[in-house]
Amino acid sequence: MVQTKRVLAIYTGGTFGMLKNEKGVLVPQKDIEKVIRRLPQLHDNEYWTQSLSKSDKKEYLAIPDGKDTDLKVLYKIYEYEELKDSSDFTTDDWLRMARDIKKFYHDYDGFVVLHGTDTTAYGASVLSFMLESVGKTVVLTGAQVPIFQPRSDGLNNFLCSILIAATQHIPEVTVFFGCKLFRGTRVKKVSNTRIYAFDSPNYPPLLEAKVSLEVDPKMLIHPPGSVPDECRLHDKLSTKVYVLKVAPTITPELIRAVLKGMDGVVLETYGNGNIPIKRKEIYKEIERAVKNNVLVVNVTQCINGTVLGKPFYETGLLLLECGVVPAFDMTAEAALAKLSYVLTKTELSYAQKVEVQT
Ligand code: ASP
């Protein structure tokens, strides 16, 4: 008896489906399904023609199998009307993706989002927080080389993502790229040329695509079976949040200008969470903002490492004394996403938001 799994693949844009325009630069293309349908690794036309019902034919493409499995994976491509380079994404775009996952939650066994790589780390983090509880696998993926080109990495990224979403029970938001599956809140784009565009410097990959594509359940936040099959969505995000990177030329005026009107700021500091302290106006400016209930969190600029609750240096101690929240080993992208989420929790007091943010 053949078992069928169904995956929804939301196509939002990104290099995966881009071609050069008349100015010689890449822009997203519509009707990606037509291209995918012609790729035998992504669509089993023979099976589709012979075995799918009329209604399934309208909706789905079929992943080819090795003829030795009793599982058939079907997927539907849901293409957004306005396709974007993900550099153009705002919180509204991720709200839409999250709402769509919620809307179609019970119709599919898993979800894939084709997303431009530039902001995947933000998108995956934001979706991870907004989807407070999700009982199915959600995978974001994309490509460094468009699917139209023979050397596209998009084919393997997309194929593995669909198979993971269909067959692996990973009830959280993840990113598949290269040959690894990462936790959504842990990824960083680390290269714009390598096929391995992402890394997860403070957490091991959840899965590595080897001969098999199986996740080690010990890697998951929630052990299999412990998450209800539901999609609980917090569908609000604050836009009054930003990332401020500390650099030697930073001035109090600059800090004031960035913090003005913000409800939360991620401060990307040196090393263990340090800032210049000889120029007192710098931390005084941050202290003033915290006193005005701006939630300021401290992440390190280092690719790998932690900002602890117990600073090593005098240059880190003052921030803690000002009420800046150490973000431990979070990426700046995840810390920003968490601020954006936490700050819309109207039921929480400032002190509770500070507690949740750590
Ligand atoms: N600029 C592209 C985007 O983020 C890059 C990519 O998809 O790789 O949409």
Side-chain angles (χ1 to χ4, degrees):
M1 173 72 181
V2 177
Q3 202 198 356
T4 304
K5 294 276 186 186
R6 291 163 204 267
V7 173
L8 181 67
I10 303 176
Y11 170 50
T12 67
T15 298
F16 181 92
M18 286 191 181
L19 277 177
K20 285 189 179 164
N21 70 4
E22 61 294 343
K23 291 185 179 161
V25 289
L26 290 167
V27 291
Q29 303 297 309
K30 285 190 172 293
D31 293 328
I32 201 71
E33 187 179 318
K34 275 196 193 144
V35 184
I36 290 178
R37 196 175 269 281
R38 289 199 294 267
L39 298 171
Q41 296 97 322
L42 292 179
H43 180 55
D44 183 346
N45 202 46
E46 193 184 319
Y47 176 86
W48 184 86
T49 313
Q50 290 169 8
S51 311
L52 254 58
S53 66
K54 213 171 158 195
S55 59
D56 274 354
K57 272 198 185 109
K58 265 202 217 139
E59 298 275 313
Y60 294 103
L61 299 183
I63 294 285
D65 58 45
K67 309 285 177 224
D68 56 354
T69 156
D70 49 9
L71 178 73
K72 200 71 211 174
V73 178
L74 304 182
Y75 64 103
K76 176 186 165 85
I77 297 180
Y78 174 31
E79 178 171 308
Y80 282 175
E81 314 77 61
E82 191 189 4
L83 299 168
K84 290 184 184 176
D85 186 305
S86 78
S87 303
D88 268 324
F89 282 170
T90 65
T91 48
D92 286 344
D93 293 285
W94 294 307
L95 280 165
R96 173 168 185 196
M97 292 172 213
R99 285 179 188 141
D100 281 337
I101 290 171
K102 170 139 179 106
K103 182 167 159 197
F104 299 115
Y105 183 78
H106 291 291
D107 302 335
Y108 299 92
D109 298 293
F111 298 85
V112 170
V113 180
L114 281 165
H115 193 296
T117 61
D118 287 347
T119 60
T120 291
Y122 294 96
S125 295
V126 154
L127 291 174
S128 298
F129 290 112
M130 271 193 290
L131 296 170
E132 292 179 330
S133 171
V134 65
K136 291 173 183 170
T137 312
V138 180
V139 189
L140 271 64
T141 194
Q144 293 280 61
V145 181
I147 195 77
F148 301 93
Q149 295 186 23
R151 282 195 60 242
S152 176
D153 53 328
L155 194 150
N156 192 56
N157 286 347
F158 188 51
L159 178 59
C160 289
S161 299
I162 296 271
L163 289 172
I164 290 168
T167 64
Q168 300 300 297
H169 188 222
I170 307 172
E172 53 183 286
V173 177
T174 62
V175 173
F176 185 87
F177 221 92
C179 62
K180 291 178 183 164
L181 184 78
F182 301 105
R183 173 153 299 144
T185 50
R186 294 294 191 158
V187 284
K188 268 192 120 51
K189 182 171 178 179
V190 291
S191 175
N192 58 10
T193 50
R194 295 204 183 112
I195 292 304
Y196 298 96
F198 290 91
D199 201 358
S200 166
N202 282 328
Y203 200 80
L206 303 182
L207 176 160
E208 210 173 327
K210 298 186 186 158
V211 174
S212 87
L213 254 187
E214 268 169 43
V215 72
D216 174 356
K218 286 202 289 294
M219 298 305 300
L220 305 180
I221 307 179
H222 308 289
S226 68
V227 182
D229 189 13
E230 61 161 26
C231 181
R232 199 177 67 239
L233 172 65
H234 174 81
D235 84 341
K236 267 189 257 97
L237 287 173
S238 168
T239 52
K240 293 182 175 175
V241 292
Y242 204 68
V243 181
L244 173 60
K245 184 168 183 159
V246 175
T249 50
I250 195 163
T251 61
E253 293 75 27
L254 187 132
I255 299 174
R256 199 175 315 136
V258 173
L259 265 60
K260 192 167 172 246
M262 287 293 145
D263 289 337
V265 168
V266 176
L267 203 59
E268 257 199 77
T269 57
Y270 302 135
N272 294 78
N274 307 325
I275 57 157
I277 56 166
K278 298 273 186 224
R279 289 182 289 145
K280 294 194 173 47
E281 327 80 70
I282 289 186
Y283 71 80
K284 287 281 173 208
E285 203 54 60
I286 298 169
E287 188 175 45
R288 200 166 301 134
V290 173
K291 282 206 176 113
N292 287 330
N293 282 356
V294 179
L295 216 168
V296 183
V297 297
N298 187 353
V299 304
T300 177
Q301 291 173 14
C302 297
I303 296 290
N304 163 250
T306 305
V307 174
L308 294 170
K310 191 174 177 324
F312 285 171
Y313 301 94
E314 194 185 7
T315 47
L317 179 65
L318 281 170
L319 278 186
L320 196 72
E321 288 178 351
C322 292
V324 171
V325 184
F328 294 88
D329 62 356
M330 287 179 95
T331 61
E333 293 89 337
L336 185 76
K338 194 166 180 185
L339 272 180
S340 187
Y341 159 80
V342 167
L343 288 169
T344 55
K345 293 254 166 192
T346 43
E347 69 278 19
L348 299 181
S349 65
Y350 179 80
Q352 285 168 323
K353 285 174 188 161
V354 168
E355 203 164 304
V356 173
Q357 187 66 37
T358 50

